[in-house]
Amino acid sequence: MDSLDDLIQGTGAAAYCLYASSENADIRHMSRFVTHDPVTIIKKIDCSPVMIVPQMEADRAARESPAHILTRQQAGYLEIFEHEKDPWKIQAAMISRLSNGPYLVPPNYPIALARALEQYNKVIVDADSRLSAHRAKKTSEEISWITRAQRAAEAAMDVAVSLIKNAEIRSGVLWHDETPLTSDLVRYEMNKIMLAHDCTAQDTIVACGQETAMPHCTGHGELRAHEPIVIDVFPCDNKTGYHADMTRTVSRGEPSGKVIELYLTVKDALLMSEAMVQEGKTGAECYIAVRDFFAELGYRSDTEGFVHSLGHGVGLEIHENPSLSGIGGELAIGNVITLEPGLYYREIGGVRIENLGVVTKTGFSKITNYPLEMIV
């Protein structure tokens, strides 16, 4: 964790302090421990992180986490409690016993705890969330965890595409087992497959027709033939907490010529962006190239068209560093990113295609292993 030590030292701090449950990606990353109750982590320069946990979690934490584990009693809780009853001041006192400070804290650190810590030494806010940037370069093990989640996403996508492909068409509506095939039914079947892979997903998108013009519309109701269906799935691996992300746009039967034009254009933009990505290229360069490519073909990007970034980092959070937007910085070896160009028009519908991969010295190593076919 040398780069984290550099971050701490560069701010003039003595320790980086975290306080949250493992739903916080920085806590999960530093501790590799799953807990629904908040814990304290203190990372000092040239030292392994120290994690303060309740007594009942000590054995499990010692088994699962690389951090040095202290119970609250070992951190001085009972002694402090004799003269201090405010829980935030107790936490601050325990932290001060383990580090004299100054203390570097993330921007989402509890303000009450920060104020209590200020009684002991200076508190410095990591306003730029540089700890999150530290997480952006993935190890080979982290990449393997993301890949496992991606395979679950692909299995779920297989189920969705199969349901659409094999549905009967009645008066323009897709039917399955004598009932209309709906967004909710497809989502349900996808969720079952992801659970079988020990993954879960929330807000999976199965949007049809005019719904596809709204990039994050989850979709509802009957699916129809000859219309675009955007399927966007981003599962989390339950064992590791790492995510994957993929999108495909399909149609049962040939859609309108305008939708096909959108699809071919977005596909070309995806392939172009994949060819651009490499170490040292900026996210902004990649985004601007795709934006300009669309604009040259007459697809404006204002209230319609290409209305979101080109992509984002993926890891313990579904959206994390680096950004492939107008302000995206340099891409680095080990970044796991999505590339997801899209075009959206209220009168036509929308198309988005998304692949996941790793930034390398010379390119984009795709993790996604799924065909680019629209008409099924």
Side-chain angles (χ1 to χ4, degrees):
M1 300 187 78
D2 290 339
S3 60
L4 182 52
D5 284 351
D6 292 341
L7 165 61
I8 298 168
Q9 198 163 26
T11 62
Y16 206 119
C17 297
L18 301 170
Y19 181 82
S21 74
S22 57
E23 292 181 5
N24 177 285
D26 292 328
I27 285 275
R28 184 76 180 266
H29 185 260
M30 201 176 293
S31 70
R32 301 299 180 197
F33 183 61
V34 178
T35 171
H36 299 293
D37 296 317
V39 296
T40 288
I41 291 182
I42 303 160
K43 171 65 177 80
K44 296 193 292 186
I45 297 169
D46 294 329
C47 295
S48 297
V50 173
M51 183 164 63
I52 304 172
V53 301
Q55 179 64 54
M56 68 177 184
E57 297 285 22
D59 289 344
R60 185 171 69 89
R63 184 177 66 182
E64 297 178 7
S65 176
H68 177 68
I69 306 303
L70 289 178
T71 66
R72 288 187 293 197
Q73 289 89 330
Q74 290 170 328
Y77 179 90
L78 294 178
E79 181 182 341
I80 299 165
F81 186 75
E82 289 181 3
H83 58 84
E84 179 57 70
K85 301 300 186 282
D86 183 295
W88 297 115
K89 292 180 179 179
I90 293 172
Q91 285 288 339
M94 288 191 294
I95 293 169
S96 73
R97 290 185 174 204
L98 295 167
S99 172
N100 293 326
Y103 307 104
L104 182 62
V105 302
N108 58 357
Y109 199 67
I111 190 169
L113 183 51
R115 292 277 170 81
L117 266 180
E118 286 176 334
Q119 302 304 310
Y120 297 93
N121 209 319
K122 182 180 179 181
V123 172
I124 304 163
V125 178
D126 179 17
D128 295 327
S129 297
R130 284 169 290 182
L131 185 56
S132 297
H134 171 70
R135 289 193 283 109
K137 295 181 182 179
K138 305 299 189 292
T139 65
S140 59
E141 186 175 39
E142 288 176 301
I143 292 169
S144 73
W145 293 337
I146 294 168
T147 301
R148 186 165 67 196
Q150 178 60 30
R151 297 298 167 254
E154 291 163 4
M157 187 68 71
D158 267 340
V159 167
V161 172
S162 178
L163 283 168
I164 293 165
K165 182 177 182 178
N166 295 314
E168 183 182 352
I169 301 174
R170 299 183 187 177
S171 301
V173 176
L174 303 186
W175 281 66
H176 171 76
D177 286 347
E178 296 304 313
T179 60
L181 183 62
T182 65
S183 296
D184 287 331
L185 177 58
V186 172
R187 252 191 305 273
Y188 171 74
E189 295 297 334
M190 293 175 75
N191 285 337
K192 281 170 40 179
I193 290 296
M194 286 183 282
L195 284 172
H197 284 77
D198 200 16
C199 289
T200 55
Q202 294 181 338
D203 302 320
T204 299
I205 293 170
V206 184
C208 182
Q210 287 190 331
E211 291 181 332
T212 61
M214 298 176 280
H216 283 167
C217 177
T218 55
H220 68 280
E222 299 170 347
L223 300 179
R224 302 185 63 85
H226 312 295
E227 294 191 10
I229 302 173
V230 172
I231 307 169
D232 188 348
V233 57
F234 31 99
C236 176
D237 184 284
N238 292 327
K239 285 190 176 70
T240 66
Y242 281 79
H243 292 79
D245 197 1
M246 73 177 298
T247 307
R248 290 294 184 268
T249 302
V250 299
S251 175
R252 175 64 193 281
E254 189 168 316
S256 72
K258 289 183 178 179
V259 170
I260 291 175
E261 287 177 10
L262 288 185
Y263 187 86
L264 293 175
T265 303
V266 169
K267 180 180 176 181
D268 286 346
L270 173 66
L271 297 177
M272 182 184 78
S273 63
E274 288 181 355
M276 286 188 65
V277 166
Q278 63 180 17
E279 179 195 22
K281 188 76 71 172
T282 69
E285 288 178 277
C286 297
Y287 164 78
I288 291 168
V290 169
R291 183 198 64 190
D292 291 349
F293 169 75
F294 286 145
E296 287 168 7
L297 293 175
Y299 297 104
R300 295 179 304 149
S301 300
D302 39 41
T303 59
E304 295 186 291
F306 185 38
V307 293
H308 54 65
S309 70
L310 174 61
H312 54 86
V314 174
L316 284 167
E317 297 175 290
I318 189 59
H319 294 102
E320 60 178 45
N321 286 321
S323 169
L324 285 91
S325 66
I327 58 171
E330 278 197 9
L331 302 176
I333 293 173
N335 290 159
V336 174
I337 62 171
T338 69
L339 296 171
E340 52 175 327
L343 289 170
Y344 312 88
Y345 295 93
R346 296 177 187 89
E347 299 301 318
I348 303 172
V351 169
R352 182 168 66 256
I353 316 172
E354 178 180 32
N355 280 342
L356 182 68
V358 186
V359 176
T360 70
K361 186 173 184 62
T362 58
F364 178 73
S365 178
K366 265 196 300 189
I367 295 174
T368 306
N369 182 22
Y370 206 84
L372 297 173
E373 296 176 6
M374 183 183 195
I375 301 171
V376 298

